[in-house]
Amino acid sequence: MKKAIVLLSGGLDSATILYYAKTQGFDPYCLVFDYGQRHNKEIEQAKKIAKNAKCSFEVMKISLPWQGSALLNKKMPLPNRKLFKANDIPSTYVPARNIIFLSFAVSFSEAIGASAVFIGANAIDYSGYPDCRPDFFKAYEKVLAKGLKSGIQKKPIKIITPLIDKTKAQIIAMGLELKVPYHLTWSCYRGGARPCGKCESCSLRQKGFDTLGIVDPLLLNLN
Ligand SMILES: [Zn+2]
């Protein structure tokens, strides 16, 4: 069976691609990052999702002591999505996050002979991060072709972004068909017992379920 690394955050998008990777004939190895997020809840949920999917997982503890993001610095306020202007990059942007995560993932891939890395990046209902755009992933694949042993040997590692052009509602519809356990996923930038309902991540998730006319199973589970 083909091996793949799946970047799993515990959120809705990455849970969806984990189940998607399985339907594409891959044996997924989940890579979860503990990078100093505001809370540990999403990491705990990521472990539950990996176990539910019967996939192995690795939690990588890394540190970005220079921070530079509201997701890492609790003293910075989380932005309210309704106040965004088009083309703004919000303060929840983490400097170079996807470059860092993907670099660990391709190292893991080469070491175990995996041929692909799945990442749940999305360029439609997303937060304006430059490292979630198709252009970035295409350019990054070129880097891998030049800078890795597998690239030089003409067996380049693919970066697969199945959600890149989907709306949040389309992602959820896809996940429901794949039987993704959305009650186990956590999207809120804040920890706590219930999602805050106000941060950009909660807003996008809510919009997706509302568009489909269904109640978020996470909220059902909490009632
Ligand atoms: Zn929230």
Side-chain angles (χ1 to χ4, degrees):
M1 211 173 187
K2 297 176 290 183
K3 292 177 187 167
I5 309 301
V6 173
L7 290 176
L8 189 66
S9 70
L12 185 152
D13 296 344
S14 67
T16 305
I17 58 157
L18 171 58
Y19 282 75
Y20 174 77
K22 290 178 76 173
T23 65
Q24 300 304 299
F26 285 96
D27 178 16
Y29 289 67
C30 302
L31 187 55
V32 181
F33 284 95
D34 177 352
Y35 63 105
Q37 298 95 314
R38 292 174 83 106
H39 59 82
N40 282 330
K41 180 136 186 168
E42 61 181 14
I43 299 166
E44 292 311 309
Q45 296 310 112
K47 290 183 198 167
K48 287 181 197 165
I49 294 161
K51 282 179 193 160
N52 197 280
K54 299 186 172 57
C55 293
S56 69
F57 63 89
E58 189 81 46
V59 179
M60 282 257 359
K61 192 167 173 61
I62 60 170
S63 167
L64 304 172
W66 40 83
Q67 299 186 332
S69 169
L71 286 195
L72 302 176
N73 184 347
K74 285 187 180 173
K75 289 185 190 135
M76 282 171 74
L78 283 167
N80 184 331
R81 186 168 173 83
K82 289 183 188 120
L83 304 177
F84 285 3
K85 291 191 208 94
N87 304 321
D88 268 2
I89 297 176
S91 58
T92 48
Y93 167 73
V94 178
R97 179 171 56 182
N98 279 350
I99 293 177
I100 295 168
F101 287 2
L102 285 171
S103 297
F104 276 103
V106 294
S107 174
F108 190 6
S109 297
E110 274 207 309
I112 65 167
S115 57
V117 174
F118 282 76
I119 178 166
N122 177 261
I124 307 289
D125 283 337
Y126 81 131
S127 297
Y129 303 149
D131 54 0
C132 288
R133 295 172 306 133
D135 267 6
F136 161 66
F137 295 107
K138 278 190 208 122
Y140 192 81
E141 277 190 333
K142 285 187 186 161
V143 170
L144 303 185
K146 296 281 183 195
L148 296 181
K149 179 178 152 191
S150 51
I152 300 301
Q153 293 177 340
K154 305 288 178 209
K155 287 183 266 177
I157 293 167
K158 286 201 177 73
I159 305 295
I160 302 180
T161 56
L163 311 182
I164 197 81
D165 57 356
K166 293 195 187 317
T167 64
K168 197 60 97 181
Q170 287 171 329
I171 294 167
I172 295 167
M174 173 182 167
L176 291 173
E177 288 217 349
L178 298 170
K179 305 215 180 327
V180 177
Y182 282 136
H183 65 284
L184 295 179
T185 62
W186 186 263
S187 304
C188 183
Y189 286 151
R190 298 179 171 92
R194 293 185 67 88
C196 77
K198 292 189 180 121
C199 70
E200 46 179 323
S201 189
C202 276
S203 302
L204 282 173
R205 179 177 176 125
Q206 188 69 51
K207 186 180 142 202
F209 280 104
D210 286 353
T211 303
L212 294 173
I214 51 177
V215 179
D216 183 346
L218 172 65
L219 301 178
L220 279 178
N221 212 38
L222 294 169
N223 288 334

